[in-house]
């Protein structure tokens, strides 16, 4: 069934796009939620009259994507991840990890839009990821994966320092007693 999208529908298209969809999908989902209207003379005429408005909206999205691309390419994703002495990560850096980092730093990017070389990163180093923004606009992001400082080594150092400090504190107390 041919329909014209009334609003942007994720994974289908944008307002004003003409799409061929299954009859059940149109009747049971798109029409009841007012996401689409049937393709006929009246709806085609309606969308032709709104064509300038729709094109202006798409142009705004393109310019937003271009400015976001500049910001992302100037930004470096620096992740500190637990790793072994040979540089192998104990886990992996995935698109979700990168998306979480970007969201914490003010970028609203879905993980599905992020491509990482080899699906995930499993060793320390510098990598480049691709983020799909709008239509054919993509941003290349630098991903720096560093080894996290070993927490267990720090705990052992603190335990070793503590008895030395206690012994130093007890020594003057014993001297005063004599």
């Amino acid at each position: 069934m041919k329909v014209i999208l009334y609003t942007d529908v994720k994974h289908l298209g944008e307002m004003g796009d003409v799409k061929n969809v299954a009859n059940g999908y149109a009747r049971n989902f798109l029409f009841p939620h007012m996401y689409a209207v049937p393709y006929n003379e009246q709806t085609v005429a309606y969308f032709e009259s709104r064509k300038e408005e729709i094109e202006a909206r798409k142009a705004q999205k393109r310019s937003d994507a271009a400015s976001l691309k500049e910001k992302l390419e100037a930004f470096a994703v620096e992740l500190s991840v637990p790793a072994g002495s040979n540089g192998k990560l104990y886990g992996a850096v995935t698109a979700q990890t990168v998306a979480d980092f970007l969201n914490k730093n003010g970028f609203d990017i879905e993980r599905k839009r992020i491509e990482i070389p080899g699906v995930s990163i499993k060793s320390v180093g510098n990598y480049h990821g691709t983020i799909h923004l709008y239509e054919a606009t993509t941003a290349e992001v630098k991903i720096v994966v560093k080894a996290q400082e070993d927490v267990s080594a720090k705990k052992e150092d603190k335990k070793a320092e503590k008895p030395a400090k206690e012994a130093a504190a007890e020594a003057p107390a014993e001297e005063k007693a004599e």
Side-chain angles (χ1 to χ4, degrees):
M1 174 184 280
K2 234 178 177 181
V3 298
I4 301 177
L5 298 179
Y6 195 68
T7 61
D8 295 349
V9 179
K10 202 174 204 176
H11 306 294
L12 185 60
E14 297 179 336
M15 178 191 290
D17 290 351
V18 176
K19 296 289 181 175
N20 261 335
V21 297
N23 292 342
Y25 182 55
R27 279 194 317 266
N28 298 322
F29 180 70
L30 296 176
F31 295 159
H33 290 101
M34 301 298 289
Y35 292 148
V37 292
Y39 183 87
N40 57 35
E41 291 177 17
Q42 292 87 9
T43 56
V44 170
Y46 173 73
F47 279 98
E48 284 297 321
S49 68
R50 294 187 60 203
K51 193 171 191 166
E52 290 179 15
E53 177 188 333
I54 294 169
E55 288 302 319
R57 188 170 170 220
K58 287 182 179 181
Q60 178 64 34
K61 285 184 178 181
R62 284 185 200 103
S63 67
D64 290 346
S67 65
L68 183 60
K69 176 183 177 177
E70 291 175 11
K71 290 177 185 175
L72 283 171
E73 288 181 345
F75 187 75
V77 176
E78 295 183 14
L79 301 168
S80 183
V81 183
S85 59
N86 59 355
K88 287 258 189 186
L89 301 181
Y90 290 134
V93 174
T94 61
Q96 183 64 50
T97 312
V98 175
D100 291 343
F101 182 83
L102 290 172
N103 287 335
K104 286 179 186 175
N105 288 291
F107 296 101
D108 188 25
I109 307 289
E110 298 173 351
R111 79 169 166 81
K112 292 180 181 179
R113 297 183 174 273
I114 300 172
E115 273 185 35
I116 293 181
V119 181
S120 64
I121 299 171
K122 297 184 179 183
S123 60
V124 174
N126 296 330
Y127 300 90
H128 290 281
T130 305
I131 300 176
H132 300 279
L133 299 172
Y134 181 73
E135 292 176 343
T137 307
T138 59
E140 291 291 322
V141 177
K142 185 176 180 181
I143 302 171
V144 179
V145 180
K146 298 178 183 176
Q148 193 176 43
E149 292 183 24
D150 192 12
V151 178
S152 61
K154 283 185 176 180
K155 288 181 180 177
E156 290 175 9
D157 290 344
K158 287 184 179 179
K159 286 180 182 177
E161 289 176 11
K162 195 173 186 179
K165 287 182 181 177
E166 289 175 359
E170 290 176 7
E174 289 176 5
E175 290 175 7
K176 290 180 183 176
E178 294 176 1

